[in-house]
Amino acid sequence: MKEMALWNEADWIAAIGAVALVVFLAIGAYAVTRKEPEFAGHPKGLFVLFFAEMWERFSYYGMRALLTLYLVKHWLYSDGQATIIYGAYTSLVYITPVLGGWLADRYLGQRKAVLFGAVLLTLGHFFMAFEGNGGGYQNNPAINVFWLALSFIIVGSGFLKANISVIVGQLYPRTDIRRDGAYTIFYMGINVGAAIGTILAGYLGETIGWSWGFGAAGVGMLLGLIVFVIGKPLLNGQGEPPEPAHLKAKVAGLNLEWFLYLAGFAGVAVVWALIQFQDAVGWILLISGILLLAYVLQQALYQLKDESGQISNGSTRNLFYAGVVVLLAMAAWMIVSNGADTIAVVAAIAGLGLVAAACIGEARKSANYARDRVFAMIFLILLMPVFWGLFEQAGGSVNLFTDRYVDRAGVPTSLFQSINPIYIILLGPVFAALWQWLGRRGWEPATPAKMGLGIVQMGLAFVVLVLGANAAGSALVPVIYIFLFYLLSTTGELSLSPVGLSAMNRLSVRHMASLMMAAFFFGTAGGNYVAGFLGSIMGEGDGGEITRQAALDVYWSMGLVAIGIGVVVVLLNPLVKRLMHVDKLTDDDVGDDLAGQEEVAEPQGPGAHPALKA
C-alpha cells in the first residue's frame, strides 16, 4: 500500500471515486433496509434497480475504457485492428437489445430477462480477467477466451439493457406524476456507475494489471446481480412474464423458459464466431439496415391509412421494390469486391432514386400525416451514424491519441473516459431546464434543429482539439483540450440523443413505436461501426499505428464535415418540421411516449432507453 504522502493525481482520483462509491452504497443500504415501503417519496424497488443498473454501468464503462488500450498493449493488435474490433463490439452491443426486448415482452418478462442477462454479463466480465501469457494474439489460444468474454457481454447486454429501465416505469401507475422523477434518479445511477467504474477499473487496469481492472468490472457486475436477486420482493411483482404458464410449455423436450436460456447460450456461440470477423459485422449491418429501412418505408407507404381513412392502391410498389433490389444488389457487389467502387456508387444512386420516386409518388396522392412522420423519423435516424461515428472515437482513436500525445500529468489514459458521464451528471439538469425555459417563451428549437446543433457541437469538439494540438507545436497537447473535447461532445449528445428518443415515440403510430425504436438504435449501432472504421484509417500503412499528424488530419476533416452536415440539418429544419405535423398530433397518436422523456440526463449507453407510456 503506497503511503498517502507519495500519492499522485491518479491515486487521489481513484480514492475520490472509491469514497463516492462507498457513500452511494451507504445511502442505498439505508434506503432499502427501512421498514417503510417508500424512501424519498419513491418505492424502494426503484433503488434496487438504481444500484443494479449502477453496477452494470460500472462494469460496462470500466471495461470499455480499457478495451482499446488492452487490445493494443496486451494483445499487440495494430491501432487499426483495435479500433475495428472496438467498433464491431459496440455495434453488436446496440443490436442485441432489440431481440432481448422482444423476448422479454413476448415470453420471459423483464425481470427474468434482466436476471439472465446479468448472469451472462458477469461471466463475460470475469472471462475478460483471463489475459493469458501475453505475447500477442497470433497463435495464442488464450485469445479465444477474450472473444468468448466479448460474446457473453454482447448477448448479456441484449437481455439486460432493453428491459431494466422498463421495470422502473412499471413501479408506478401510468398517471403517477413521480415517473419522471423516478427516471431522473435511475439515470443518476447510470451516470454514477459509468463515472466510478471508469475511474476504478481504469486505475486498477493501467496501474496494477489488466486482470485487476477487468476483474473489478466483473465484481461490479456480480454485485449488481446479487442486488437484483435480493431485491426481488421490493419490485412488487413487476416485470413478470406476460403468460407464466406458457413458459412451462415443452419445446424440444424442455420447458420454453429453459429453451430460451439455452438459445441465449447458443447466441453466445454465434456471436463468438461473428465477432472474430469484423468485416462480416459491417456487411451484416449494411444488408440488415437496407432491409429494416425498406420494411419501415413499406409499412409507411402501403399500410398506413391516409387522412380519409384509405390505404394506398400500391401503384408505386414495383418502383419501390425495384429500388430495394438494386440496393441489395449494391450491397452484394460491395461484399464481393470488398469495398465500394464506381459500380457500387452508381447502384446506390439508382436504388435510392427509385425508392425516392416511389415515396414522392405516394406523397402526391393524398395527405397522410402518419406516413409523413415516418419520412421525418427516417431523416433523423440517418443522422445517428454521423453523430455516433464521431462520438465513439472517444473510446477508440481518441483514447489512443490521449495515451500518446496528451500531457496527462501521470493520470492513466482510461480515467479520461469518466469525463463524459460526469459532464452529463452536471449538465443534464441544465439542458432539461434550458429546453423548458425556451419552450415557455416559444423559443425552443424543433427536434431537427436540436439534432443538427448536436452534430455541429460534435464537429466543433474535433476542431477545438486540432487547434489546441497545433498550437502546442511538437509538445504534448495540453490536457485542457481533452476536457473541452469531451465538453462539446457531451453537449452535442445532450442535444441529440434524448431528443431523438423522444421523437421516435412521439411521432410513431402506436403499432410502429417499437419498430421505430429498433430502427433508431440500429442507426446508433451503425454509428459505432463507422467509428471503428474511421479509427482504422488514421494509421500509417494498412491500419498501422495512429500517428499524431494523421489523427489530427482526419479529426480536422471529420470536424468540418460534421459542422457542415449539422448546418444543413438546421437549414432543413422547416421542411422536416412540416413533415412531422406536430400541430396535428393528438393524445391517441402519442399514447406511447417515452416515460421520463423530459429528462436528458441519460448517457449514450447500449440499449439504455426508458419505458414507453401506455
Side-chain angles (χ1 to χ4, degrees):
M1 182 75 178
K2 187 187 296 184
E3 293 184 13
M4 189 174 294
L6 301 177
W7 283 13
N8 56 27
E9 289 89 343
D11 299 323
W12 282 106
I13 294 171
I16 293 170
V19 170
L21 179 61
V22 171
V23 169
F24 273 97
L25 292 178
I27 295 173
Y30 175 73
V32 299
T33 56
R34 286 163 52 90
K35 293 182 180 179
E36 294 81 0
E38 295 187 351
F39 175 75
H42 290 276
K44 291 194 291 186
L46 173 65
F47 299 94
V48 170
L49 298 173
F50 173 103
F51 284 99
E53 178 66 355
M54 186 193 80
W55 282 119
E56 190 275 331
R57 292 289 84 186
F58 179 103
S59 64
Y60 176 80
Y61 276 93
M63 178 265 200
R64 173 182 176 271
L66 292 169
L67 181 58
T68 306
L69 300 171
Y70 179 62
L71 287 167
V72 171
K73 295 183 178 183
H74 178 74
W75 289 114
L76 304 183
Y77 279 100
S78 69
D79 292 353
Q81 289 173 312
T83 55
I84 280 288
I85 293 170
Y86 174 83
Y89 162 69
T90 53
S91 65
L92 289 173
V93 163
Y94 264 98
I95 294 174
T96 53
V98 176
L99 180 58
W102 181 79
L103 288 174
D105 288 341
R106 192 172 180 88
Y107 302 110
L108 287 172
Q110 286 75 31
R111 186 187 63 79
K112 288 179 181 290
V114 168
L115 185 61
F116 181 58
V119 171
L120 295 179
L121 283 165
T122 301
L123 291 171
H125 285 295
F126 276 122
F127 278 130
M128 284 294 296
F130 290 90
E131 50 186 273
N133 298 321
Y137 67 94
Q138 295 182 340
N139 302 316
N140 190 338
I143 191 66
N144 291 305
V145 179
F146 169 74
W147 296 125
L148 183 64
L150 291 188
S151 303
F152 270 110
I153 294 171
I154 290 167
V155 178
S157 295
F159 279 94
L160 187 144
K161 285 307 304 166
N163 297 298
I164 191 167
S165 62
V166 174
I167 305 178
V168 174
Q170 293 176 347
L171 292 174
Y172 300 85
R174 294 174 178 175
T175 57
D176 196 322
I177 61 174
R178 299 176 298 169
R179 289 171 68 100
D180 291 337
Y183 275 102
T184 301
I185 295 171
F186 182 70
Y187 292 150
M188 187 66 70
I190 293 176
N191 291 288
V192 168
I196 297 177
T198 298
I199 290 171
L200 296 183
Y203 173 80
L204 292 171
E206 288 201 75
T207 60
I208 300 179
W210 300 112
S211 61
W212 283 80
F214 293 125
V219 169
M221 192 60 245
L222 178 61
L223 290 172
L225 173 60
I226 293 172
V227 167
F228 191 74
V229 171
I230 294 176
K232 176 188 173 183
L234 299 179
L235 299 180
N236 301 326
Q238 299 301 326
E240 296 303 318
E243 297 181 40
H246 189 43
L247 289 178
K248 299 184 182 299
K250 296 296 182 181
V251 178
L254 297 172
N255 287 350
L256 175 60
E257 179 177 354
W258 287 100
F259 178 81
L260 292 174
Y261 296 150
L262 185 62
F265 280 101
V268 171
V270 172
V271 173
W272 177 83
L274 183 61
I275 190 63
Q276 299 179 56
F277 301 96
Q278 295 83 42
D279 288 346
V281 175
W283 298 128
I284 291 172
L285 284 171
L286 176 62
I287 293 174
S288 53
I290 293 171
L291 291 173
L292 177 59
L293 289 180
Y295 179 71
V296 169
L297 271 176
Q298 186 269 340
Q299 291 291 301
L301 294 175
Y302 309 116
Q303 300 299 323
L304 294 180
K305 294 180 180 179
D306 63 20
E307 300 315 302
S308 65
Q310 301 299 313
I311 294 178
S312 170
N313 60 13
S315 60
T316 63
R317 282 181 187 270
N318 291 338
L319 200 62
F320 174 77
Y321 289 127
V324 173
V325 169
V326 171
L327 290 174
L328 290 173
M330 171 211 69
W333 176 261
M334 290 177 65
I335 294 173
V336 171
S337 58
N338 196 30
D341 56 14
T342 303
I343 294 177
V345 172
V346 171
I349 294 173
L352 291 173
L354 291 171
V355 171
C359 292
I360 294 171
E362 290 297 324
R364 287 178 173 176
K365 289 181 181 179
S366 62
N368 188 326
Y369 300 151
R371 178 199 61 214
D372 290 350
R373 291 183 188 121
V374 172
F375 292 162
M377 286 186 284
I378 289 176
F379 176 82
L380 300 180
I381 289 168
L382 292 177
L383 301 179
M384 294 298 101
V386 176
F387 181 84
W388 296 118
L390 273 62
F391 182 92
E392 277 297 326
Q393 295 302 316
S397 68
V398 171
N399 214 9
L400 296 173
F401 185 89
T402 303
D403 184 62
R404 297 166 185 168
Y405 309 120
V406 173
D407 184 5
R408 297 179 283 110
V411 176
T413 304
S414 55
L415 269 63
F416 288 90
Q417 296 290 302
S418 67
I419 299 174
N420 171 246
I422 291 173
Y423 274 151
I424 289 179
I425 293 172
L426 298 175
L427 297 177
V430 175
F431 270 72
L434 174 64
W435 299 140
Q436 292 178 7
W437 185 83
L438 292 173
R440 285 194 296 267
R441 287 159 178 77
W443 300 340
E444 183 180 8
T447 295
K450 289 180 182 177
M451 297 179 73
L453 291 172
I455 295 174
V456 168
Q457 291 168 84
M458 190 67 249
L460 285 173
F462 284 100
V463 169
V464 168
L465 178 59
V466 173
L467 292 177
N470 289 337
S474 60
L476 292 174
V477 180
V479 74
I480 184 63
Y481 291 103
I482 291 296
F483 279 88
L484 289 174
F485 171 85
Y486 282 111
L487 175 63
L488 288 167
S489 63
T490 301
T491 56
E493 177 188 358
L494 289 169
S495 299
L496 179 138
S497 182
V499 171
L501 282 169
S502 177
M504 291 304 107
N505 285 273
R506 188 184 185 196
L507 300 177
S508 298
V509 293
R510 185 179 298 273
H511 71 275
M512 289 185 68
S514 296
L515 176 64
M516 297 312 301
M517 182 61 73
F520 183 83
F521 278 106
F522 191 94
T524 306
N528 280 262
Y529 189 84
V530 168
F533 172 77
L534 291 175
S536 71
I537 65 176
M538 299 180 195
E540 291 185 338
D542 185 16
E545 180 178 345
I546 294 176
T547 63
R548 174 172 173 154
Q549 193 56 49
L552 292 177
D553 289 343
V554 175
Y555 289 161
W556 182 254
S557 298
M558 289 195 304
L560 294 182
V561 169
I563 292 172
I565 292 174
V567 169
V568 170
V569 172
V570 172
L571 293 176
L572 290 175
N573 175 64
L575 173 61
V576 181
K577 184 179 178 181
R578 190 156 55 246
L579 289 173
M580 292 165 65
H581 299 290
V582 176
D583 57 322
K584 300 295 193 301
L585 286 172
T586 65
D587 287 340
D588 288 341
D589 294 328
V590 293
D592 39 13
D593 273 353
L594 281 177
Q597 68 182 29
E598 291 83 356
E599 295 302 325
V600 292
E602 177 192 3
Q604 183 261 350
H609 57 87
L612 305 182
K613 290 178 181 175

